[in-house]
Amino acid sequence: MKRNIFRIIATSFFAFLVAVPVIAQRDRSVSTAAQTYVISAKAGGVNYVEGNVTIERGDGKSGYLLKQDNLEIGDKVATGAFGKAEILLNPGSYVRLAANSEFEFVTTALDDLKLKLNRGSAMFEVYAANKFQVEVNAGNTKFYLIETGVYRVDVTNDSAKIEVWDGKARVGDANATIVKDGREATLSGSAVAVAKFDRGEKDALEIWSKTRGKEVAKLNSRLERNSLRSTLMNSYRANSWNLNNSFGLWIYDASFRGYCFLPFGHGWYSPYGYYLGWNLWNIRMPWWIYYVPPVGNGNGPVAGNGNGNGNGNGNGNGNGTSSDNGNGTSSDNGNLPTRNPKPPFQQMPGGGTRTPKLEPTIVDSPGFPTRQPSVPVPTVVVPHPAKSGKGN
């Protein structure tokens, strides 16, 4: 009798050991299948909050700042003695506030991004180049972040300082001073003093900023292609984004409760130098995404023959992109639609892939795909775990 009881217990225990991995694997599969994303091309999302951080809205309302809040122009964010906050700028760029600091947006446009650091310290991890510069109003002066890189700005009652950890900055408008990487510029009154600083000496803000830079870049490699592709298509058809309004997109991953950057270009690195394995190219979007943005009903561009009787929204018999008088305006005489003008991501020097001084390596960014694109394969392949549901 005792022997039978022992056999039953042993058999049950063995069955339990076998079942646990199966259940765990099934739960992981369900989690992957149910993975949800939110797409945004706007600045102002709050990606991280720690300690006491408050917000004063432009309409006079105030309260505590929370993760996933959204900032508008004129909203002031202030950190307490132990507060920190990470705020999304235009996709791919971040501002990270130290304790006892105050920050606000002046404008949020891709080609006219203006911020204001009223007091305290902040790290800026930004994509910038040519006309896509970032203006930081600091006290009585202006710092222009004119190259992709990492910057620190400090503001006190009587002075302002910028440290260029990587990139290039300009101080002021008239008789501007250029500050290259490894140098700092301090303004006291109207005097500008430029000197070298030791990038090997990092304080708590600088260490935290780089740690966050690594963490948010890592989220990019965890994106799941099929779920993301479906979400991207839905938001594209809703005219939420196109290649002309950004360098890429903010992707909110509900499973990790945070945003990461999905670049439009292939082979991009973060300003800190971390490789971004997923991009719009290897998500395998339809070929027409790379051409004229959707018009009318948002179902994608359609080539016409130029002789149709359009109804003004591209849905006429001529299948063209029509004018209001019904005379369709065709593109390429029934062939491919006209390409977008050179989009912002292709206007970045090196396509956003220049060799960072904080972390190494470089690859090139391709041009537009053909009608039936062979999707470019990254030079550096980021391995994905087996059975993760991610693409190669």
Side-chain angles (χ1 to χ4, degrees):
M1 181 67 178
K2 291 182 178 180
R3 185 177 300 172
N4 290 337
I5 293 175
F6 176 80
R7 184 180 295 118
I8 292 172
I9 293 174
T11 302
S12 300
F13 181 71
F14 177 78
F16 173 77
L17 291 178
V18 172
V20 167
V22 173
I23 294 172
Q25 180 64 44
R26 184 179 60 191
D27 289 343
R28 281 196 296 270
S29 299
V30 170
S31 176
T32 300
Q35 197 161 5
T36 56
Y37 300 108
V38 177
I39 310 299
S40 174
K42 297 180 179 179
V46 179
N47 208 34
Y48 182 93
V49 175
E50 180 180 326
N52 184 13
V53 184
T54 60
I55 179 171
E56 181 182 336
R57 297 286 185 181
D59 59 7
K61 297 179 181 179
S62 61
Y64 288 108
L65 186 72
L66 302 176
K67 187 176 179 179
Q68 298 180 44
D69 277 352
N70 287 291
L71 304 182
E72 303 294 339
I73 295 173
D75 293 347
K76 293 181 180 179
V77 173
T79 56
F82 302 100
K84 297 178 183 176
E86 177 182 85
I87 299 164
L88 308 179
L89 305 181
N90 284 316
S93 301
Y94 306 80
V95 57
R96 299 185 178 103
L97 297 177
N100 299 314
S101 303
E102 184 179 278
F103 157 89
E104 63 183 293
F105 281 105
V106 178
T107 64
T108 57
L110 178 66
D111 58 354
D112 187 32
L113 182 59
K114 297 179 181 179
L115 322 166
K116 190 174 182 181
L117 185 65
N118 297 320
R119 57 181 171 84
S121 303
M123 295 293 295
F124 294 87
E125 181 186 2
V126 300
Y127 287 108
N130 304 323
K131 68 177 183 179
F132 305 111
Q133 301 178 8
V134 179
E135 178 184 315
V136 181
N137 297 330
N140 296 321
T141 192
K142 296 178 181 178
F143 296 130
Y144 296 89
L145 315 183
I146 59 179
E147 282 188 0
T148 294
V150 178
Y151 305 82
R152 174 175 177 150
V153 177
D154 298 275
V155 178
T156 63
N157 291 332
D158 56 359
S159 68
K161 181 175 71 172
I162 183 169
E163 294 177 348
V164 181
W165 286 74
D166 186 23
K168 186 185 293 183
R170 189 176 78 244
V171 180
D173 294 311
N175 300 317
T177 300
I178 299 297
V179 187
K180 298 182 180 181
D181 58 270
R183 294 181 174 270
E184 63 182 24
T186 304
L187 284 88
S188 182
S190 59
V192 181
V194 179
K196 290 183 178 180
F197 71 95
D198 186 357
R199 286 182 291 190
E201 295 183 4
K202 300 181 178 68
D203 68 4
L205 171 61
E206 293 149 1
I207 294 171
W208 172 66
S209 179
K210 186 169 184 179
T211 300
R212 284 295 301 168
K214 184 176 183 178
E215 290 173 352
V216 293
K218 190 181 296 184
L219 287 181
N220 171 280
S221 67
R222 296 172 179 169
L223 297 173
E224 198 279 320
R225 175 191 285 166
N226 293 333
S227 296
L228 179 56
R229 188 179 189 277
S230 176
T231 306
L232 285 168
M233 285 301 305
N234 290 336
S235 60
Y236 182 86
R237 288 193 172 105
N239 294 320
S240 298
W241 64 273
N242 62 68
L243 266 67
N244 287 325
N245 65 4
S246 184
F247 302 126
L249 296 169
W250 289 123
I251 309 295
Y252 179 79
D253 188 337
S255 62
F256 292 100
R257 299 185 62 198
Y259 282 92
C260 69
F261 175 55
L262 179 76
F264 288 151
H266 164 67
W268 275 41
Y269 290 78
S270 77
Y272 267 113
Y274 298 109
Y275 181 69
L276 302 175
W278 285 111
N279 54 72
L280 198 66
W281 301 80
N282 52 23
I283 296 298
R284 300 181 187 275
M285 301 298 288
W287 63 269
W288 44 261
I289 293 288
Y290 304 93
Y291 291 83
V292 178
V295 293
N297 59 13
N299 288 327
V302 181
N305 57 19
N307 299 315
N309 297 315
N311 61 9
N313 61 7
N315 296 322
N317 295 329
N319 294 328
T321 301
S322 327
S323 60
D324 291 338
N325 61 10
N327 297 321
T329 301
S330 67
S331 53
D332 287 353
N333 297 321
N335 299 316
L336 287 176
T338 304
R339 286 177 174 173
N340 285 317
K342 194 172 184 180
F345 81 91
Q346 286 199 330
Q347 297 181 42
M348 295 290 290
T353 63
R354 78 198 192 352
T355 305
K357 296 180 178 62
L358 301 179
E359 300 284 343
T361 62
I362 180 171
V363 292
D364 292 328
S365 178
F368 283 90
T370 59
R371 179 168 181 152
Q372 300 295 333
S374 56
V375 179
V377 178
T379 301
V380 182
V381 178
V382 177
H384 298 302
K387 300 181 180 179
S388 65
K390 296 180 175 64
N392 295 325

